[in-house]
Amino acid sequence: MSTTSPLLNEWVAAYDGRHPLVDIGCAYGKNTCAAADIVKAAIGTPAPDEVRVVACDFEEGHLAYTRAHAPPGVKTTFAKLPDALPDVEKASGILIAEVLHFVDGAAIDATLAWAARVLVPGGVVALHGCTLWMNCAPDVTGACPIASAALPLYEAHAGEPWPGDSGVDPRELMARASLAGMP
């Protein structure tokens, strides 16, 4: 992610001083580091062993970068949805930013069930992402060739629990979409 989450402030405001904030899919730690800095400015420098933000990713390169650049109070840990969710007893806020579009419907269900289990009462889940179904790469006519190729598949599975996940292979979808004429 090249910029912080638009939900950064809501996520950080959930910090209760006892249970960490959790960043699922931290990538290079932009949200993690911003959160740790905001909390430090509000309540001071953390104790040497105090964990205020848990940064999670399944790419060791992302975790290594975050470890190298994070301020005090940040812990990095491996996590991969849905089979290796973070080992966190409780969290005051959970950020899941630009992650869920990489997994299928069952993994989304499992991830949100985990979040419901570990979130403290009054805590916040800050969630946003993108989808194959949005007009993210408009061509010269304003239509997105990816969304245009995806729409019939989505409509064919309307009414199913995860219609965008049913029978859709993103690689096949990208191959079907004509990206010629893209600006």
Side-chain angles (χ1 to χ4, degrees):
M1 180 173 261
S2 62
T3 187
T4 57
S5 167
L7 301 175
L8 176 70
N9 292 332
E10 290 83 354
W11 173 53
V12 174
Y15 184 63
D16 65 5
R18 293 185 27 225
H19 305 96
L21 297 168
V22 178
D23 184 358
I24 303 290
C26 69
Y28 294 104
K30 192 148 191 94
N31 292 306
T32 295
C33 293
D37 288 341
I38 292 167
V39 171
K40 178 183 174 186
I43 63 173
T45 302
D49 61 345
E50 183 180 1
V51 175
R52 294 178 175 173
V53 184
V54 178
C56 310
D57 208 288
F58 74 98
E59 290 285 344
E60 178 51 39
H62 291 166
L63 295 172
Y65 183 92
T66 301
R67 270 191 301 276
H69 295 88
V74 172
K75 173 187 171 185
T76 61
T77 188
F78 175 86
K80 186 171 184 181
L81 309 181
D83 303 320
L85 290 160
D87 185 20
V88 175
E89 285 186 38
K90 290 292 178 185
S92 55
I94 301 169
L95 177 65
I96 307 172
E98 304 298 329
V99 174
L100 294 182
H101 54 272
F102 292 115
V103 299
D104 63 20
I108 293 170
D109 286 341
T111 302
L112 296 179
W114 166 84
R117 281 192 309 276
V118 303
L119 197 65
V120 299
V124 169
V125 174
L127 169 65
H128 64 90
C130 67
T131 172
L132 290 171
W133 317 111
M134 61 191 254
N135 192 18
C136 60
D139 62 15
V140 294
T141 69
C144 176
I146 299 165
S148 297
L151 186 59
L153 295 170
Y154 181 84
E155 289 173 340
H157 295 281
E160 295 179 17
W162 291 98
D165 182 37
S166 302
V168 177
D169 179 347
R171 292 172 299 239
E172 179 185 330
L173 186 62
M174 295 296 286
R176 263 199 242 177
S178 170
L179 299 181
M182 295 289 293

